[in-house]
Amino acid sequence: MKKSKFFLLLSLMLAISTFLAACGGGGDNAGKDDKEKGADKTAAQEIKMLEAQAIPNMDSVKSTDTISFTTLNNVNEGLYRLDGNQEVVEGMAEGEPEVSEDGTVYTFKLRDAKWSNGEPVTAHDFVYAWQRAIDPETASEYGPYMMDGKIKGAAEITAAAAQKKEYDLNTLGVKALDDKTLEVTLERPVPYFKSLMAFPTFYPQNQKFVEEQGENFGVNSDSILYNGPFVLADWDGSTDSEWSYVKNTEYWDADTVKLEKVTWNVLKDSQAAANAFETGEVDITSKLSSDVVPQYEGDPRLVKWLEPTIFWLKMNQKNSDALKNVNIRKAIAQAINKEDFVNSVLNNGSIVANYAVPNEFVKNDETGEDFRTINGNELLPYNVDEAKKAWEAGLAELGTDSVELRYLTDDTETAKKSAEYVKNQLETNLPGMKINVESVPFSVRIDRQNKQDYDLQMAGWGPDYLDPMTFQALWLTGGGNNKMDYSNEKYDQLIEEAQTTLAQKPVERYEALAEAERILLEEDAAIAPLYQRSSNLLVNEKVENFTYHLVGPEYSFKWTSVK
């Protein structure tokens, strides 16, 4: 495994207080024509960026995390992508699709585009990738999650496999009418369909190449084909701490791409990241921890935004009798002082979350009101008295005076501090509680989550498309992202109604989704929401059109340049 050269020096760096002019982040000009402000042709079009975690996976139908999705977003492309204004723009799709009168059949024309091996990108590549994503033998988590109830035939394939019955992948509602014409059939009209098509699970894959690679597909930069703005280079696999994006000269819109190279390094220490930024070793840091953010308040180089991303404690009911008890879960959910947590531990602009669907995320198409106005922000709030009552009731029902739980979290600086705080709160406010913290690398946590090898887990979720369903479909019985054995028949029914009989009734649909949220939190305390995240990072003044996203992959460098 190669070692990152500059990390040997980071521990010796001292922060230098230089305050330079700002650059924009996810701004109004990202993705626009740069004729007036075009990149300086004499400037080296290269930037260096930090990340707090390594890339776990680069198979678009198997990836489940933001880092992988962000990388895929920059080196591959689906029918659409998001620009810097969070708007859907054309990718492999050329021109507006033909849409049937009932809104369930879309016919796309594909532009002339090539894979990095010179082969054309065709409609067959989309059909192959989508069928592979829904095929139970692939064991894709996002395939069923993104397709069931949306793409025709997906739910039937998933159900047949669960019942150990035969299934036919050709019944999935995606067809190649010819090399450049793709037809997609939906179960029902999906208002956010184009936004959905920008997500990496729906990217194309070259069947011949994937099958030649076999189990090695997506495990390093040489085992992947690229059709996006960049190609991935120097990535040796999930434990690698260094990789690069290199401009893809075969990309259909290569003239728009100004950057020649983006070099990434993994650095988990936030202060060291700031030091590297100040000494010019990097141009963009990873997200800063709470102890670093105050150093840069008011500094125009600090780029910050409130994400529609919620962090919560997942409570795995599979192997823990204690967590199968609703009173124990309610006790845990109400025993953590969230206000103190966001102010003293995070201290980065994050806000308390007493909800499962973010604040300032989506509005009702008919009323224009934020989804949060229905239930407000006080579902399952911090309340020590109520927590202790539920705790005592739960212990009595279990016939014990103590509970010991394993708490799974990442090994980053922020994650460790968060774990210490949560452990202290639970053990202090719930007498007889014992928390054993297990801090592991990101890829290990994802693997253990998939295997449900944990009791409590600090986990977060950012939206994949612009609709409350991207959060609420997580908790369906047997759902691919549930991974904690939560099940409620009424909850499932409400989610189903929101996707079927109420799909074209915005007000009634939001009411059903709000009722489902109340069941999830107030009745069942299935999860313990903690906070909605604010992102803070440092961006060098020379970087123009640094583009971040609020939905799906986190960053796009297609429109970024160096002054």
Side-chain angles (χ1 to χ4, degrees), residues 53 311-316 319 323 332 404-412 414-420 422-423 426 434-460 482-484 530:
Q53 305 285 0
F311 278 76
W312 41 51
L313 292 184
K314 295 182 72 171
M315 295 185 267
N316 184 15
N319 300 315
L323 294 178
I332 291 171
E404 184 170 351
L405 298 173
R406 297 177 302 151
Y407 179 108
L408 178 65
T409 189
D410 294 322
D411 61 353
T412 64
T414 298
K416 289 179 179 178
K417 289 181 179 178
S418 299
E420 290 174 6
V422 171
K423 172 183 170 69
L426 294 180
K434 171 66 175 174
I435 301 294
N436 299 312
V437 175
E438 299 173 351
S439 299
V440 299
F442 182 67
S443 59
V444 175
R445 181 176 68 79
I446 295 298
D447 181 63
R448 286 185 55 178
Q449 172 182 257
N450 293 339
K451 295 175 180 176
Q452 290 188 237
D453 180 15
Y454 71 95
D455 294 326
L456 299 177
Q457 179 190 181
M458 172 72 85
N482 188 314
K483 303 300 182 186
M484 58 181 195
L530 294 175

Short mmCIF file of all heavy atoms in Angstrom, two decimals, residues 53 311-316 319 323 332 404-412 414-420 422-423 426 434-460 482-484 530:
data_model
loop_
_atom_site.label_atom_id
_atom_site.label_comp_id
_atom_site.label_asym_id
_atom_site.label_seq_id
_atom_site.Cartn_x
_atom_site.Cartn_y
_atom_site.Cartn_z
N GLN A 53 -12.39 10.04 5.49
CA GLN A 53 -12.54 8.59 5.37
C GLN A 53 -12.05 8.13 4.00
O GLN A 53 -11.99 8.92 3.05
CB GLN A 53 -14.01 8.17 5.53
CG GLN A 53 -14.68 8.63 6.80
CD GLN A 53 -14.23 7.84 8.03
OE1 GLN A 53 -13.41 6.93 7.93
NE2 GLN A 53 -14.79 8.15 9.18
N PHE A 311 -28.34 12.90 12.03
CA PHE A 311 -27.62 11.83 12.74
C PHE A 311 -28.49 11.35 13.89
O PHE A 311 -29.15 12.13 14.58
CB PHE A 311 -26.27 12.33 13.24
CG PHE A 311 -25.21 12.31 12.17
CD1 PHE A 311 -25.20 13.27 11.19
CD2 PHE A 311 -24.26 11.31 12.14
CE1 PHE A 311 -24.25 13.25 10.19
CE2 PHE A 311 -23.30 11.27 11.14
CZ PHE A 311 -23.29 12.25 10.16
N TRP A 312 -28.49 10.04 14.08
CA TRP A 312 -29.31 9.43 15.11
C TRP A 312 -28.63 8.18 15.66
O TRP A 312 -27.64 7.69 15.11
CB TRP A 312 -30.67 9.03 14.55
CG TRP A 312 -30.62 8.42 13.17
CD1 TRP A 312 -29.85 7.38 12.71
CD2 TRP A 312 -31.37 8.87 12.02
NE1 TRP A 312 -30.08 7.13 11.39
CE2 TRP A 312 -31.01 8.02 10.93
CE3 TRP A 312 -32.33 9.86 11.81
CZ2 TRP A 312 -31.57 8.17 9.65
CZ3 TRP A 312 -32.88 10.00 10.55
CH2 TRP A 312 -32.48 9.16 9.49
N LEU A 313 -29.15 7.70 16.77
CA LEU A 313 -28.73 6.39 17.27
C LEU A 313 -29.69 5.36 16.70
O LEU A 313 -30.90 5.45 16.89
CB LEU A 313 -28.78 6.34 18.80
CG LEU A 313 -27.79 7.19 19.58
CD1 LEU A 313 -27.95 6.90 21.07
CD2 LEU A 313 -26.37 6.93 19.14
N LYS A 314 -29.14 4.38 15.98
CA LYS A 314 -29.93 3.24 15.55
C LYS A 314 -29.91 2.22 16.69
O LYS A 314 -28.86 1.95 17.27
CB LYS A 314 -29.36 2.63 14.27
CG LYS A 314 -29.44 3.55 13.07
CD LYS A 314 -28.90 2.89 11.81
CE LYS A 314 -29.84 1.82 11.28
NZ LYS A 314 -29.42 1.33 9.94
N MET A 315 -31.06 1.66 16.99
CA MET A 315 -31.17 0.70 18.09
C MET A 315 -31.56 -0.66 17.51
O MET A 315 -32.70 -0.88 17.10
CB MET A 315 -32.19 1.21 19.12
CG MET A 315 -31.73 2.49 19.79
SD MET A 315 -32.80 3.09 21.12
CE MET A 315 -33.87 4.22 20.22
N ASN A 316 -30.58 -1.54 17.47
CA ASN A 316 -30.72 -2.83 16.80
C ASN A 316 -31.48 -3.83 17.68
O ASN A 316 -30.99 -4.27 18.72
CB ASN A 316 -29.34 -3.38 16.45
CG ASN A 316 -29.39 -4.68 15.68
OD1 ASN A 316 -30.43 -5.06 15.16
ND2 ASN A 316 -28.25 -5.36 15.59
N ASN A 319 -30.58 -8.70 18.26
CA ASN A 319 -29.92 -9.58 19.24
C ASN A 319 -30.02 -9.10 20.68
O ASN A 319 -29.47 -9.73 21.58
CB ASN A 319 -28.44 -9.74 18.87
CG ASN A 319 -28.25 -10.35 17.49
OD1 ASN A 319 -28.91 -11.33 17.15
ND2 ASN A 319 -27.36 -9.76 16.70
N LEU A 323 -33.21 -3.87 23.80
CA LEU A 323 -33.62 -2.95 22.74
C LEU A 323 -34.91 -3.38 22.05
O LEU A 323 -35.51 -2.60 21.30
CB LEU A 323 -32.49 -2.78 21.72
CG LEU A 323 -31.24 -2.08 22.27
CD1 LEU A 323 -30.16 -2.00 21.22
CD2 LEU A 323 -31.57 -0.69 22.81
N ILE A 332 -33.54 5.66 26.30
CA ILE A 332 -32.30 6.04 25.61
C ILE A 332 -32.52 7.30 24.79
O ILE A 332 -31.70 8.24 24.81
CB ILE A 332 -31.82 4.88 24.71
CG1 ILE A 332 -31.34 3.71 25.58
CG2 ILE A 332 -30.70 5.34 23.77
CD1 ILE A 332 -31.05 2.44 24.81
N GLU A 404 -26.32 -3.76 29.45
CA GLU A 404 -25.01 -3.47 28.85
C GLU A 404 -25.15 -3.53 27.33
O GLU A 404 -25.66 -4.50 26.78
CB GLU A 404 -23.97 -4.49 29.33
CG GLU A 404 -22.56 -4.20 28.83
CD GLU A 404 -21.52 -5.07 29.52
OE1 GLU A 404 -21.88 -5.76 30.50
OE2 GLU A 404 -20.35 -5.04 29.10
N LEU A 405 -24.68 -2.46 26.66
CA LEU A 405 -24.85 -2.37 25.20
C LEU A 405 -23.53 -1.99 24.53
O LEU A 405 -22.71 -1.26 25.09
CB LEU A 405 -25.90 -1.32 24.85
CG LEU A 405 -27.32 -1.57 25.36
CD1 LEU A 405 -28.20 -0.36 25.09
CD2 LEU A 405 -27.93 -2.82 24.72
N ARG A 406 -23.36 -2.49 23.31
CA ARG A 406 -22.20 -2.12 22.47
C ARG A 406 -22.58 -0.93 21.60
O ARG A 406 -23.60 -0.98 20.90
CB ARG A 406 -21.77 -3.29 21.60
CG ARG A 406 -21.28 -4.52 22.36
CD ARG A 406 -20.95 -5.64 21.39
NE ARG A 406 -22.12 -6.00 20.58
CZ ARG A 406 -22.06 -6.49 19.34
NH1 ARG A 406 -20.89 -6.66 18.76
NH2 ARG A 406 -23.16 -6.80 18.69
N TYR A 407 -21.76 0.10 21.63
CA TYR A 407 -22.02 1.33 20.87
C TYR A 407 -21.01 1.40 19.73
O TYR A 407 -19.81 1.59 19.95
CB TYR A 407 -21.88 2.52 21.81
CG TYR A 407 -22.09 3.89 21.20
CD1 TYR A 407 -23.23 4.63 21.49
CD2 TYR A 407 -21.14 4.47 20.36
CE1 TYR A 407 -23.42 5.91 20.95
CE2 TYR A 407 -21.32 5.72 19.83
CZ TYR A 407 -22.45 6.44 20.12
OH TYR A 407 -22.62 7.69 19.59
N LEU A 408 -21.48 1.27 18.50
CA LEU A 408 -20.62 1.25 17.32
C LEU A 408 -20.55 2.65 16.69
O LEU A 408 -21.58 3.29 16.48
CB LEU A 408 -21.17 0.25 16.29
CG LEU A 408 -20.42 0.12 14.97
CD1 LEU A 408 -19.02 -0.44 15.20
CD2 LEU A 408 -21.20 -0.77 14.00
N THR A 409 -19.33 3.10 16.40
CA THR A 409 -19.16 4.41 15.78
C THR A 409 -17.89 4.45 14.95
O THR A 409 -17.08 3.51 14.99
CB THR A 409 -19.13 5.52 16.86
OG1 THR A 409 -19.17 6.80 16.22
CG2 THR A 409 -17.88 5.41 17.71
N ASP A 410 -17.72 5.54 14.18
CA ASP A 410 -16.51 5.71 13.38
C ASP A 410 -15.33 6.07 14.27
O ASP A 410 -15.49 6.40 15.45
CB ASP A 410 -16.72 6.81 12.34
CG ASP A 410 -17.77 6.43 11.31
OD1 ASP A 410 -17.82 5.25 10.92
OD2 ASP A 410 -18.55 7.30 10.89
N ASP A 411 -14.13 6.07 13.66
CA ASP A 411 -12.92 6.36 14.43
C ASP A 411 -12.40 7.77 14.16
O ASP A 411 -11.23 8.06 14.41
CB ASP A 411 -11.83 5.33 14.16
CG ASP A 411 -11.42 5.30 12.69
OD1 ASP A 411 -12.06 5.98 11.86
OD2 ASP A 411 -10.45 4.58 12.36
N THR A 412 -13.26 8.66 13.66
CA THR A 412 -12.84 10.04 13.46
C THR A 412 -12.85 10.79 14.79
O THR A 412 -13.45 10.35 15.76
CB THR A 412 -13.76 10.76 12.46
OG1 THR A 412 -15.08 10.84 13.02
CG2 THR A 412 -13.81 10.04 11.13
N THR A 414 -14.37 13.63 15.59
CA THR A 414 -15.72 14.04 15.98
C THR A 414 -16.54 12.87 16.48
O THR A 414 -17.28 12.98 17.46
CB THR A 414 -16.44 14.72 14.79
OG1 THR A 414 -15.71 15.88 14.42
CG2 THR A 414 -17.86 15.10 15.16
N ALA A 415 -16.43 11.73 15.80
CA ALA A 415 -17.19 10.54 16.20
C ALA A 415 -16.79 10.08 17.60
O ALA A 415 -17.64 9.69 18.41
CB ALA A 415 -16.98 9.42 15.19
N LYS A 416 -15.51 10.12 17.91
CA LYS A 416 -15.04 9.69 19.23
C LYS A 416 -15.54 10.63 20.33
O LYS A 416 -15.96 10.19 21.40
CB LYS A 416 -13.52 9.61 19.24
CG LYS A 416 -12.96 8.45 18.41
CD LYS A 416 -11.43 8.45 18.44
CE LYS A 416 -10.88 7.28 17.62
NZ LYS A 416 -9.40 7.29 17.61
N LYS A 417 -15.50 11.93 20.05
CA LYS A 417 -16.00 12.90 21.04
C LYS A 417 -17.51 12.72 21.25
O LYS A 417 -17.99 12.80 22.38
CB LYS A 417 -15.70 14.32 20.56
CG LYS A 417 -14.24 14.70 20.62
CD LYS A 417 -14.03 16.13 20.15
CE LYS A 417 -12.57 16.53 20.24
NZ LYS A 417 -12.34 17.92 19.74
N SER A 418 -18.21 12.47 20.16
CA SER A 418 -19.66 12.26 20.26
C SER A 418 -19.95 11.02 21.08
O SER A 418 -20.88 11.00 21.91
CB SER A 418 -20.26 12.13 18.86
OG SER A 418 -20.06 13.31 18.11
N ALA A 419 -19.18 9.97 20.87
CA ALA A 419 -19.39 8.72 21.60
C ALA A 419 -19.16 8.91 23.09
O ALA A 419 -19.91 8.38 23.93
CB ALA A 419 -18.46 7.63 21.05
N GLU A 420 -18.12 9.67 23.43
CA GLU A 420 -17.84 9.93 24.84
C GLU A 420 -19.00 10.65 25.51
O GLU A 420 -19.40 10.34 26.63
CB GLU A 420 -16.56 10.77 24.96
CG GLU A 420 -15.30 10.01 24.59
CD GLU A 420 -14.08 10.93 24.59
OE1 GLU A 420 -14.23 12.12 24.99
OE2 GLU A 420 -12.99 10.48 24.19
N VAL A 422 -22.26 10.76 24.51
CA VAL A 422 -23.46 9.92 24.58
C VAL A 422 -23.30 8.86 25.68
O VAL A 422 -24.23 8.61 26.46
CB VAL A 422 -23.73 9.25 23.22
CG1 VAL A 422 -24.85 8.21 23.34
CG2 VAL A 422 -24.11 10.30 22.18
N LYS A 423 -22.14 8.26 25.76
CA LYS A 423 -21.88 7.26 26.81
C LYS A 423 -22.09 7.88 28.19
O LYS A 423 -22.78 7.30 29.05
CB LYS A 423 -20.44 6.74 26.67
CG LYS A 423 -19.97 5.84 27.82
CD LYS A 423 -18.50 5.45 27.61
CE LYS A 423 -17.93 4.77 28.84
NZ LYS A 423 -18.51 3.43 29.07
N LEU A 426 -25.92 8.59 28.88
CA LEU A 426 -26.72 7.39 29.12
C LEU A 426 -26.37 6.74 30.44
O LEU A 426 -27.26 6.30 31.19
CB LEU A 426 -26.54 6.40 27.97
CG LEU A 426 -27.07 6.84 26.60
CD1 LEU A 426 -26.83 5.76 25.56
CD2 LEU A 426 -28.56 7.18 26.67
N LYS A 434 -24.69 0.39 31.02
CA LYS A 434 -23.26 0.27 30.74
C LYS A 434 -23.08 0.31 29.22
O LYS A 434 -23.67 -0.50 28.49
CB LYS A 434 -22.70 -1.03 31.31
CG LYS A 434 -21.27 -1.36 30.89
CD LYS A 434 -20.27 -0.36 31.45
CE LYS A 434 -18.84 -0.77 31.12
NZ LYS A 434 -17.85 0.25 31.54
N ILE A 435 -22.29 1.27 28.73
CA ILE A 435 -22.06 1.43 27.30
C ILE A 435 -20.60 1.12 26.98
O ILE A 435 -19.68 1.71 27.56
CB ILE A 435 -22.37 2.87 26.83
CG1 ILE A 435 -23.83 3.22 27.13
CG2 ILE A 435 -22.05 3.04 25.35
CD1 ILE A 435 -24.83 2.42 26.33
N ASN A 436 -20.37 0.19 26.06
CA ASN A 436 -19.03 -0.15 25.60
C ASN A 436 -18.85 0.41 24.19
O ASN A 436 -19.46 -0.07 23.23
CB ASN A 436 -18.83 -1.67 25.59
CG ASN A 436 -18.98 -2.27 26.97
OD1 ASN A 436 -18.40 -1.77 27.94
ND2 ASN A 436 -19.76 -3.33 27.09
N VAL A 437 -18.02 1.46 24.06
CA VAL A 437 -17.82 2.13 22.77
C VAL A 437 -16.85 1.34 21.91
O VAL A 437 -15.78 0.92 22.37
CB VAL A 437 -17.30 3.56 22.97
CG1 VAL A 437 -16.98 4.21 21.63
CG2 VAL A 437 -18.31 4.39 23.75
N GLU A 438 -17.21 1.13 20.66
CA GLU A 438 -16.36 0.43 19.69
C GLU A 438 -16.17 1.35 18.49
O GLU A 438 -17.04 1.47 17.62
CB GLU A 438 -17.01 -0.89 19.27
CG GLU A 438 -17.21 -1.84 20.44
CD GLU A 438 -18.00 -3.10 20.07
OE1 GLU A 438 -18.54 -3.14 18.95
OE2 GLU A 438 -18.08 -4.01 20.91
N SER A 439 -15.00 2.03 18.42
CA SER A 439 -14.67 2.94 17.33
C SER A 439 -13.89 2.19 16.26
O SER A 439 -12.84 1.62 16.54
CB SER A 439 -13.83 4.12 17.86
OG SER A 439 -14.54 4.86 18.84
N VAL A 440 -14.42 2.22 15.04
CA VAL A 440 -13.82 1.44 13.96
C VAL A 440 -13.73 2.29 12.69
O VAL A 440 -14.44 3.29 12.56
CB VAL A 440 -14.64 0.16 13.67
CG1 VAL A 440 -14.71 -0.74 14.90
CG2 VAL A 440 -16.05 0.52 13.19
N PRO A 441 -12.89 1.91 11.73
CA PRO A 441 -12.85 2.62 10.44
C PRO A 441 -14.22 2.59 9.76
O PRO A 441 -15.01 1.66 9.98
CB PRO A 441 -11.80 1.84 9.64
CG PRO A 441 -10.92 1.23 10.68
CD PRO A 441 -11.84 0.87 11.81
N PHE A 442 -14.46 3.58 8.94
CA PHE A 442 -15.75 3.75 8.29
C PHE A 442 -16.21 2.50 7.55
O PHE A 442 -17.35 2.06 7.68
CB PHE A 442 -15.66 4.93 7.32
CG PHE A 442 -16.93 5.24 6.61
CD1 PHE A 442 -18.04 5.71 7.29
CD2 PHE A 442 -17.03 5.09 5.23
CE1 PHE A 442 -19.23 6.01 6.63
CE2 PHE A 442 -18.21 5.39 4.55
CZ PHE A 442 -19.31 5.85 5.26
N SER A 443 -15.32 1.90 6.74
CA SER A 443 -15.70 0.72 5.95
C SER A 443 -16.08 -0.45 6.85
O SER A 443 -16.96 -1.24 6.52
CB SER A 443 -14.56 0.31 5.01
OG SER A 443 -13.38 0.01 5.74
N VAL A 444 -15.42 -0.54 8.02
CA VAL A 444 -15.73 -1.61 8.96
C VAL A 444 -17.11 -1.37 9.59
O VAL A 444 -17.91 -2.30 9.76
CB VAL A 444 -14.66 -1.71 10.07
CG1 VAL A 444 -15.04 -2.75 11.12
CG2 VAL A 444 -13.31 -2.05 9.45
N ARG A 445 -17.40 -0.09 9.91
CA ARG A 445 -18.72 0.20 10.47
C ARG A 445 -19.83 -0.15 9.49
O ARG A 445 -20.85 -0.71 9.87
CB ARG A 445 -18.82 1.67 10.88
CG ARG A 445 -20.19 1.99 11.50
CD ARG A 445 -20.30 3.40 11.99
NE ARG A 445 -20.29 4.39 10.93
CZ ARG A 445 -21.37 4.69 10.18
NH1 ARG A 445 -22.50 4.04 10.36
NH2 ARG A 445 -21.29 5.61 9.25
N ILE A 446 -19.64 0.20 8.23
CA ILE A 446 -20.64 -0.11 7.22
C ILE A 446 -20.85 -1.62 7.11
O ILE A 446 -21.98 -2.12 7.05
CB ILE A 446 -20.23 0.46 5.85
CG1 ILE A 446 -20.20 2.00 5.89
CG2 ILE A 446 -21.18 -0.01 4.76
CD1 ILE A 446 -21.54 2.64 6.19
N ASP A 447 -19.75 -2.38 7.14
CA ASP A 447 -19.84 -3.84 7.06
C ASP A 447 -20.57 -4.40 8.28
O ASP A 447 -21.43 -5.29 8.15
CB ASP A 447 -18.44 -4.44 6.94
CG ASP A 447 -18.46 -5.96 6.84
OD1 ASP A 447 -19.02 -6.47 5.85
OD2 ASP A 447 -17.94 -6.63 7.75
N ARG A 448 -20.25 -3.88 9.47
CA ARG A 448 -20.90 -4.38 10.68
C ARG A 448 -22.37 -3.98 10.73
O ARG A 448 -23.21 -4.71 11.25
CB ARG A 448 -20.15 -3.88 11.91
CG ARG A 448 -18.81 -4.61 12.12
CD ARG A 448 -18.12 -4.20 13.40
NE ARG A 448 -18.97 -4.37 14.58
CZ ARG A 448 -18.56 -4.12 15.81
NH1 ARG A 448 -17.32 -3.68 16.02
NH2 ARG A 448 -19.38 -4.28 16.84
N GLN A 449 -22.69 -2.80 10.19
CA GLN A 449 -24.10 -2.41 10.12
C GLN A 449 -24.86 -3.38 9.23
O GLN A 449 -25.95 -3.84 9.57
CB GLN A 449 -24.25 -1.00 9.56
CG GLN A 449 -25.70 -0.62 9.29
CD GLN A 449 -25.85 0.77 8.70
OE1 GLN A 449 -26.22 1.68 9.40
NE2 GLN A 449 -25.57 0.91 7.41
N ASN A 450 -24.28 -3.70 8.06
CA ASN A 450 -24.94 -4.61 7.13
C ASN A 450 -25.16 -5.99 7.75
O ASN A 450 -26.14 -6.66 7.46
CB ASN A 450 -24.12 -4.74 5.84
CG ASN A 450 -24.11 -3.44 5.05
OD1 ASN A 450 -24.98 -2.59 5.23
ND2 ASN A 450 -23.11 -3.27 4.19
N LYS A 451 -24.23 -6.40 8.61
CA LYS A 451 -24.35 -7.70 9.28
C LYS A 451 -25.14 -7.60 10.59
O LYS A 451 -25.35 -8.60 11.26
CB LYS A 451 -22.95 -8.25 9.58
CG LYS A 451 -22.14 -8.58 8.34
CD LYS A 451 -20.72 -9.00 8.70
CE LYS A 451 -19.91 -9.34 7.45
NZ LYS A 451 -18.49 -9.67 7.79
N GLN A 452 -25.57 -6.38 10.93
CA GLN A 452 -26.26 -6.08 12.19
C GLN A 452 -25.46 -6.54 13.40
O GLN A 452 -25.99 -7.10 14.37
CB GLN A 452 -27.67 -6.67 12.20
CG GLN A 452 -28.61 -5.96 11.24
CD GLN A 452 -30.05 -6.39 11.35
OE1 GLN A 452 -30.64 -6.83 10.39
NE2 GLN A 452 -30.62 -6.26 12.54
N ASP A 453 -24.16 -6.28 13.33
CA ASP A 453 -23.24 -6.63 14.41
C ASP A 453 -23.01 -5.41 15.30
O ASP A 453 -21.95 -4.81 15.31
CB ASP A 453 -21.92 -7.14 13.82
CG ASP A 453 -20.91 -7.54 14.88
OD1 ASP A 453 -21.31 -7.71 16.06
OD2 ASP A 453 -19.71 -7.66 14.55
N TYR A 454 -24.06 -4.99 16.01
CA TYR A 454 -23.98 -3.85 16.91
C TYR A 454 -25.25 -3.82 17.75
O TYR A 454 -26.24 -4.48 17.43
CB TYR A 454 -23.84 -2.54 16.12
CG TYR A 454 -25.11 -2.13 15.39
CD1 TYR A 454 -26.00 -1.23 15.96
CD2 TYR A 454 -25.42 -2.64 14.13
CE1 TYR A 454 -27.18 -0.85 15.31
CE2 TYR A 454 -26.59 -2.27 13.47
CZ TYR A 454 -27.46 -1.39 14.06
OH TYR A 454 -28.62 -1.03 13.43
N ASP A 455 -25.24 -3.02 18.81
CA ASP A 455 -26.45 -2.75 19.60
C ASP A 455 -26.94 -1.33 19.29
O ASP A 455 -28.01 -1.14 18.75
CB ASP A 455 -26.18 -2.93 21.09
CG ASP A 455 -25.86 -4.36 21.46
OD1 ASP A 455 -26.43 -5.27 20.83
OD2 ASP A 455 -25.04 -4.57 22.38
N LEU A 456 -26.12 -0.36 19.68
CA LEU A 456 -26.39 1.04 19.33
C LEU A 456 -25.38 1.45 18.27
O LEU A 456 -24.22 1.02 18.30
CB LEU A 456 -26.24 1.95 20.55
CG LEU A 456 -27.15 1.70 21.75
CD1 LEU A 456 -26.80 2.67 22.88
CD2 LEU A 456 -28.61 1.86 21.37
N GLN A 457 -25.82 2.32 17.36
CA GLN A 457 -24.90 2.80 16.34
C GLN A 457 -25.18 4.27 16.04
O GLN A 457 -26.32 4.66 15.81
CB GLN A 457 -25.05 2.00 15.04
CG GLN A 457 -24.13 2.49 13.94
CD GLN A 457 -24.42 1.87 12.59
OE1 GLN A 457 -23.75 2.15 11.61
NE2 GLN A 457 -25.43 1.02 12.52
N MET A 458 -24.14 5.08 16.07
CA MET A 458 -24.27 6.46 15.61
C MET A 458 -24.19 6.44 14.09
O MET A 458 -23.17 6.06 13.51
CB MET A 458 -23.15 7.33 16.18
CG MET A 458 -23.10 8.74 15.60
SD MET A 458 -24.43 9.81 16.16
CE MET A 458 -23.72 10.42 17.69
N ALA A 459 -25.27 6.83 13.43
CA ALA A 459 -25.31 6.80 11.97
C ALA A 459 -26.05 8.03 11.47
O ALA A 459 -26.86 8.63 12.18
CB ALA A 459 -26.01 5.52 11.48
N GLY A 460 -25.77 8.40 10.26
CA GLY A 460 -26.44 9.55 9.66
C GLY A 460 -27.03 9.20 8.32
O GLY A 460 -26.68 8.18 7.71
N ASN A 482 -32.83 -0.70 6.66
CA ASN A 482 -33.35 -0.79 8.01
C ASN A 482 -32.24 -1.28 8.96
O ASN A 482 -31.81 -0.57 9.86
CB ASN A 482 -34.56 -1.72 8.03
CG ASN A 482 -35.31 -1.74 9.34
OD1 ASN A 482 -34.71 -1.83 10.41
ND2 ASN A 482 -36.62 -1.69 9.27
N LYS A 483 -31.79 -2.47 8.76
CA LYS A 483 -30.64 -3.04 9.46
C LYS A 483 -30.71 -2.92 10.98
O LYS A 483 -29.70 -2.78 11.66
CB LYS A 483 -29.33 -2.40 8.97
CG LYS A 483 -29.09 -2.54 7.48
CD LYS A 483 -29.02 -3.98 7.02
CE LYS A 483 -28.73 -4.08 5.54
NZ LYS A 483 -28.79 -5.47 5.06
N MET A 484 -31.95 -2.97 11.52
CA MET A 484 -32.08 -2.97 12.98
C MET A 484 -33.35 -3.70 13.40
O MET A 484 -33.78 -3.59 14.54
CB MET A 484 -32.07 -1.54 13.53
CG MET A 484 -33.13 -0.62 12.98
SD MET A 484 -32.99 1.04 13.68
CE MET A 484 -34.59 1.70 13.20
N LEU A 530 -30.59 12.86 16.96
CA LEU A 530 -29.73 13.72 17.77
C LEU A 530 -29.58 15.12 17.16
O LEU A 530 -29.86 16.11 17.82
CB LEU A 530 -28.36 13.08 17.93
CG LEU A 530 -28.33 11.77 18.73
CD1 LEU A 530 -26.93 11.18 18.73
CD2 LEU A 530 -28.79 12.01 20.16
#
